[in-house]
Amino acid sequence: MERRDVLRLSAVAGAAGALAPGTVSFADAAPGAGGADGADGADGADGAEQTRRVTGHLPTGAPDFVYLPVDVPHGVREIAVAYRYDRPAVPEGTAGNACDIGIFDERGTDLGGAGFRGWSGGARTEFFLRADDATPGYLPGPVNAGTWHIALGPYTVAPQGLTYDVTITLRYGPPGRTPAPVHPPERARGRGRAWYRGDNHLHSVHSDGKRTPAEIAALARAAGLDFLTTSEHNTTSSHRAWEGLWGDDLLILTGEEITTRNGHVVAMGTDPGVFIDWRYRARDNAFGKYARAVHRAGGLVIPAHPHATCIGCNWKFGLNDADAVEVWNGPYTPDDEVTLAEWDNTLVAHVRGRAAWLPAVGHSDAHRDPDVVGLPQTVVLAEDLSRHAVQAGIRAGRVWIAESSQIDLAFAVTGERGEHASIAERLEISGTAEATAELKVSGAPGCTVSFVTDQGRLFSAPLPPSGTGTVTWRTTPDNAAYIRAEVRHPPTTAGLPGAMAAMTNPVFLGR
């Protein structure tokens, strides 16, 4: 392609401030001319390739997503895209430029539509896709003729605006064949009704992680996990990437981290290949629709790191559509403490008859070294090691959370006449009857056990130096509408509680 053609297309599609770029066409190249970058052969012939470059400028206040139309002719075997954008200096405390990228095929860009073909966010500067293969994050499949759209997502825009530069290359040839995807089975051998350990928030090279699925599976086994969920940002490309990595000892569930501009949510255990859209904000009043789409696909809706400090991470959609909430994300930090306190408030609202209660879960959100897979891990009482049984256990709240498989615990509350209730159950005794909470812990040296109620933390006791012991406490339903247990490390900052080592969901008291 000659330089004047590049300049002409750049001017058409990238005029300053243009938010609706003109269509990039590959139909006007001179017949018989060699492809760009030294490719030989006539345009459209097998083995040929064509390249177009488009530049543009997005001002502050640009839409969340800007679509660059590309007319793809017949005979294209592969689409390859590369992009870059400027990063001007900005005043201290001001967000600079960050721009995500993805692509939609000829079926269009409608929300929740069938046109989605991949997303890499800001993790990659280039990608390709064709029938038989694609860059991780993108979906292999036919490259059909029609108008495709490259999606630019200006995540943050500097005061000077954001100038982008996109290069699109089409390679011609036989279309190739898309292999049938092989998805993980929905059941592993398991141990019947038992407590199973899992991590439902993990990232690989299929989004912004650095580990391969094989590396994650090995780390999950080393961490003592029984199940995991692949939850890449805004893509399902990893669903077919786990072939040969599951086994009788490891259940692999498919899912997605739906990464909106007003919070992230883990769609846990959705049907393989089902894509859930993310292109909306809380003010659009659209989340309920996509939460229902998660449920139709057989998944759970789990808001992730609701009080994380990264831009766009704070959860602003409310909890009415959630099945559980991630109160502990990765190594325990102050934002987890805030989430824990907010979750505890929902328990208080529940016992006052104002809301259903929402189970707490914990996940690693591991991306790369030194992130630890299984720190923390959700421990679920399930009827067997299967997708639906694990989901049922989480939905019911039969869950406790631990920083590693080294920690084990058992928590129950009993009445004076032999009544018994475990995690997520209710001890149905009168308001003045005595209830005894008992927590058995192992593998937590140096830690302290606390019992927390709707009145706050009412009792604490240190574990023996070995980290193995039993702590009991007595109360009544009149004084405690629920009891939950925490196991914490010693404080490292004056005035702040120690980091969590393990915690349970509540046992409710009273009729």
Side-chain angles (χ1 to χ4, degrees):
M1 184 180 184
E2 294 185 6
R3 180 175 178 273
R4 64 177 178 270
D5 295 319
V6 171
L7 293 174
R8 180 178 57 79
L9 281 170
S10 297
V12 169
L19 299 186
T23 300
V24 179
S25 174
F26 285 80
D28 60 350
D37 300 325
D40 296 325
D43 291 328
D46 289 356
E49 65 178 48
Q50 295 172 279
T51 295
R52 297 288 188 271
R53 178 182 167 208
V54 181
T55 64
H57 183 80
L58 303 177
T60 55
D64 286 342
F65 302 99
V66 177
Y67 300 96
L68 174 61
V70 180
D71 273 351
V72 176
H74 292 281
V76 174
R77 176 175 181 266
E78 177 180 297
I79 297 177
V81 177
Y83 85 120
R84 55 192 173 91
Y85 54 90
D86 65 331
R87 293 174 171 85
V90 297
E92 185 176 356
T94 301
N97 283 337
C99 188
D100 297 339
I101 197 166
I103 195 167
F104 292 78
D105 67 20
E106 81 286 351
R107 291 171 291 183
T109 62
D110 289 346
L111 280 174
F116 174 77
R117 289 296 295 272
W119 183 256
S120 51
R124 299 181 184 278
T125 59
E126 58 186 37
F127 64 86
F128 77 90
L129 54 85
R130 58 178 185 259
D132 62 341
D133 199 6
T135 299
Y138 294 82
L139 307 180
V143 181
N144 293 325
T147 301
W148 290 51
H149 290 85
I150 296 169
L152 298 177
Y155 198 70
T156 56
V157 179
Q160 302 93 322
L162 184 151
T163 298
Y164 62 83
D165 188 324
V166 180
T167 301
I168 308 113
T169 299
L170 304 186
R171 298 186 174 101
Y172 293 82
R177 184 181 64 85
T178 304
V182 178
H183 294 133
E186 295 191 6
R187 182 182 300 273
R189 177 176 294 175
R191 304 180 296 278
R193 181 178 171 85
W195 291 94
Y196 294 101
R197 295 172 181 264
D199 190 346
N200 298 310
H201 189 169
L202 292 160
H203 297 281
S204 76
V205 294
H206 284 262
S207 58
D208 59 345
K210 296 297 184 183
R211 293 166 173 154
T212 65
E215 289 170 331
I216 292 173
L219 290 169
R221 287 183 165 97
L225 301 185
D226 301 295
F227 65 92
L228 64 83
T229 301
T230 173
S231 58
E232 310 296 353
H233 294 283
N234 304 336
T235 184
T236 60
S237 72
S238 68
H239 290 188
R240 62 173 70 207
W242 296 81
E243 185 174 0
L245 300 178
W246 57 80
D248 289 343
D249 63 328
L250 185 63
L251 173 70
I252 297 174
L253 305 180
T254 55
E256 180 183 342
E257 184 176 5
I258 305 165
T259 308
T260 80
R261 295 302 176 85
N262 288 149
H264 302 183
V265 58
V266 172
M268 178 210 161
T270 47
D271 293 332
V274 173
F275 162 68
I276 309 296
D277 218 312
W278 75 98
R279 293 171 291 160
Y280 42 85
R281 288 179 179 260
R283 64 188 180 217
D284 299 326
N285 198 30
F287 179 71
K289 172 182 177 181
Y290 293 99
R292 291 190 292 275
V294 172
H295 290 147
R296 284 195 302 273
L300 300 185
V301 175
I302 305 177
H305 46 66
H307 291 281
T309 56
C310 48
I311 294 174
C313 291
N314 283 160
W315 184 251
K316 299 185 183 298
F317 294 96
L319 298 174
N320 290 339
D321 297 294
D323 298 295
V325 62
E326 187 183 84
V327 303
W328 182 355
N329 175 278
Y332 198 80
T333 57
D335 58 275
D336 296 310
E337 198 70 55
V338 173
T339 302
L340 179 64
E342 182 181 65
W343 169 72
D344 199 70
N345 289 341
T346 69
L347 299 180
V348 174
H350 169 68
V351 299
R352 296 167 78 180
R354 295 182 180 178
W357 80 282
L358 199 61
V361 295
H363 306 131
S364 74
D365 197 4
H367 285 69
R368 60 187 68 82
D369 294 338
D371 297 352
V372 178
V373 171
L375 169 58
Q377 50 197 245
T378 289
V379 190
V380 186
L381 179 60
E383 297 301 319
D384 56 35
L385 187 53
S386 68
R387 170 192 176 189
H388 296 298
V390 168
Q391 289 176 320
I394 292 175
R395 192 182 290 110
R398 300 191 300 266
V399 170
W400 55 276
I401 311 168
E403 65 181 1
S404 78
S405 60
Q406 298 301 308
I407 296 180
D408 200 8
L409 63 77
F411 179 48
V413 185
T414 56
E416 296 170 309
R417 300 182 178 180
E419 303 95 337
H420 181 277
S422 297
I423 296 170
E425 296 177 342
R426 177 173 292 276
L427 185 69
E428 295 194 0
I429 59 176
S430 69
T432 59
E434 187 174 84
T436 301
E438 180 181 86
L439 182 72
K440 298 179 180 179
V441 184
S442 63
C447 291
T448 295
V449 169
S450 295
F451 292 117
V452 183
T453 78
D454 52 315
Q455 296 186 61
R457 184 174 287 103
L458 294 186
F459 180 81
S460 296
L463 287 168
S466 65
T468 298
T470 300
V471 178
T472 60
W473 175 62
R474 291 178 176 83
T475 187
T476 67
D478 282 349
N479 291 320
Y482 63 85
I483 307 173
R484 60 180 183 84
E486 295 181 355
V487 183
R488 289 182 180 259
H489 293 285
T492 57
T493 303
L496 294 178
M500 197 73 71
M503 58 170 284
T504 73
N505 275 278
V507 174
F508 297 97
L509 306 185
R511 296 193 174 108

